[in-house]
Amino acid sequence: MAVADPPSTDLPAATPSDTDTPSATDTPSATDMESRAAQLMGVINAATAALVALLVQVADTEAWRVPGVRSLEHWVMWRCGVSPGRARRLVALARRSAELPLTVAAFTEGALTEDQAAEIAAHVPVSHEADVLGIAAASTVPQLHRVVRTLPPLAPTPTAEDPEPEPTPEVREVSFGYDHDGRWRLSASLPADEGAIAEAALVAARDALLRDGHSDVTWADALLAALVGPSVPVELYAHLDLDAHGVDAARLGGGPGLPDSLRRKLGCDASIRMVLERSGTAVALSSPARIVPKRLRQLVLDRDRTCRIPGCTHTRWLQVHHLTHWEDGGPTSLDNLVAICGFHHRAHHRGEIHLRGDPTHPEGLEVHDHRGRRLTGNAPSRAPAASMWPTGRFEPPSGEHLDPTHLVWGDRKPA
């Protein structure tokens, strides 16, 4: 999502000169086209390195922390118009920039591509940067990927003064519950074999979600899918003290008091049973009730298909929100219901974003931040002036065969 800005013409669109592009009557030679590709890749590489340098500043100043944005990666996906995977790669480069000065220098000069730099950032320790950088310039990305996988693990060298380690007792425990912030947390510590089973279940659940066509799948999504699956109904019990008034009058079973914002969020779309209490004693239990009937909820999900907040790509675990809350007299009807993800649903009920309009039309829903600025789905797109283009040249790899088994890292002998 982006805050809409008025149109600007401060930067003129860049137009290539006659010497940059061959005329329609010219047929460039293969050598000319290879040279032109090298020049363009140098510009692309240098420009991407400049973007990574900017992301370092965004991270340091936390400029990405705006209403509705989950993380720096989410900000990059939104503001740069890139895929979630590329956003993660750019952020990973930014986070390791200070550790890898040689890589950053080659990237900035245009001599290293984004994919090559990303492989180094993802796998190469500082002590091996110079060695790998020398190989990277002459390697294709698949070759470089195989090379960095051969790096030895960097374990601390034991000394004579180190005491003999005590045997580690087996720890096998799981704990969960609400913390002081009202968030539900889960912690587990298992032996390696049992941990592998749990991990395999999470991986299988995540892979199943990915096979369903959902690209933005988190491990939290996988955990929920592994525990309950998308088709198993989960019923919540909310305790309501008939004698209490205020924000803590309602609470989840075994949990803390619910703030008014969270209570209203649950009132939008939930399968819930109310436990009515008086003076701490349960006096009645309501029948299961879903605020939004199942058939109407399915119509809303079929209509919206994704979170309706601009810039959000979530399609799983969507919740149905009342634009005018049912407590305030809002009807449970298609023109008052909209599908949004849990993150943005909570943000709305915290007052960070506001929704209004007609969700039955593709452009009918308006989203504003807490300052009243309208959020839009796309970042402003402006062509840079020709003078702003970075310079650089990329020398393509030779493509010669590379056998990682003949590489020697430090004092280690090849296999």
Side-chain angles (χ1 to χ4, degrees), residues 251-318:
R251 59 184 176 83
L252 292 177
L258 296 179
D260 186 62
S261 61
L262 184 54
R263 179 184 57 80
R264 289 172 66 87
K265 173 184 174 293
L266 288 174
C268 277
D269 180 32
S271 180
I272 192 167
R273 299 186 76 171
M274 298 301 300
V275 180
L276 305 181
E277 297 180 349
R278 192 179 297 277
S279 300
T281 302
V283 296
L285 177 65
S286 72
S287 299
R290 177 171 283 280
I291 304 300
V292 181
K294 183 177 180 180
R295 291 183 179 181
L296 181 57
R297 186 176 192 278
Q298 190 60 49
L299 287 176
V300 175
L301 296 179
D302 287 342
R303 180 195 68 195
D304 295 346
R305 298 180 181 274
T306 186
C307 176
R308 289 288 296 273
I309 304 301
C312 185
T313 59
H314 272 229
T315 59
R316 297 288 293 186
W317 321 114
L318 297 179

Side-chain angles (χ1 to χ4, degrees), residues 310-340:
C312 185
T313 59
H314 272 229
T315 59
R316 297 288 293 186
W317 321 114
L318 297 179
Q319 301 168 4
V320 176
H321 168 67
H322 284 71
L323 294 177
T324 301
H325 202 275
W326 66 273
E327 288 187 6
D328 301 325
T332 302
S333 58
L334 280 174
D335 59 357
N336 192 46
L337 299 175
V338 62
I340 56 178

Side-chain angles (χ1 to χ4, degrees), residues 149-303:
R149 296 286 178 166
T150 67
L151 286 170
L154 301 177
T157 304
T159 64
E161 292 75 23
D162 290 338
E164 187 70 17
E166 294 289 337
T168 302
E170 182 178 72
V171 177
R172 189 174 181 273
E173 59 185 15
V174 174
S175 61
F176 53 86
Y178 295 91
D179 62 14
H180 64 280
D181 294 327
R183 293 182 59 84
W184 188 86
R185 297 188 180 275
L186 169 68
S187 176
S189 180
L190 299 172
D193 56 335
E194 294 181 344
I197 295 173
E199 181 176 333
L202 288 173
V203 171
R206 184 173 183 269
D207 289 346
L209 295 176
L210 292 172
R211 285 195 300 271
D212 288 342
H214 306 287
S215 58
D216 190 11
V217 179
T218 67
W219 288 114
D221 296 331
L223 176 63
L224 289 174
L227 291 175
V228 300
S231 61
V232 179
V234 177
E235 190 171 74
L236 298 178
Y237 286 81
H239 294 243
L240 183 64
D241 191 339
L242 299 176
D243 296 325
H245 301 281
V247 295
D248 291 333
R251 59 184 176 83
L252 292 177
L258 296 179
D260 186 62
S261 61
L262 184 54
R263 179 184 57 80
R264 289 172 66 87
K265 173 184 174 293
L266 288 174
C268 277
D269 180 32
S271 180
I272 192 167
R273 299 186 76 171
M274 298 301 300
V275 180
L276 305 181
E277 297 180 349
R278 192 179 297 277
S279 300
T281 302
V283 296
L285 177 65
S286 72
S287 299
R290 177 171 283 280
I291 304 300
V292 181
K294 183 177 180 180
R295 291 183 179 181
L296 181 57
R297 186 176 192 278
Q298 190 60 49
L299 287 176
V300 175
L301 296 179
D302 287 342
R303 180 195 68 195

Side-chain angles (χ1 to χ4, degrees), residues 335-412:
D335 59 357
N336 192 46
L337 299 175
V338 62
I340 56 178
C341 68
F343 175 86
H344 286 116
H345 202 180
R346 292 187 293 274
H348 165 73
H349 283 286
R350 288 194 302 264
E352 297 174 3
I353 56 176
H354 305 281
L355 296 82
R356 69 186 184 201
D358 184 359
T360 61
H361 295 284
E363 304 298 330
L365 186 68
E366 295 184 9
V367 182
H368 297 79
D369 68 9
H370 64 290
R371 297 179 181 175
R373 300 175 299 181
R374 185 171 180 181
L375 307 180
T376 61
N378 298 313
S381 178
R382 299 170 184 166
S387 60
M388 295 178 61
W389 285 10
T391 59
R393 181 176 177 85
F394 171 69
E395 295 296 337
S398 65
E400 295 292 334
H401 175 67
L402 177 64
D403 187 352
T405 61
H406 289 82
L407 296 173
V408 179
W409 300 113
D411 296 332
R412 299 191 175 223

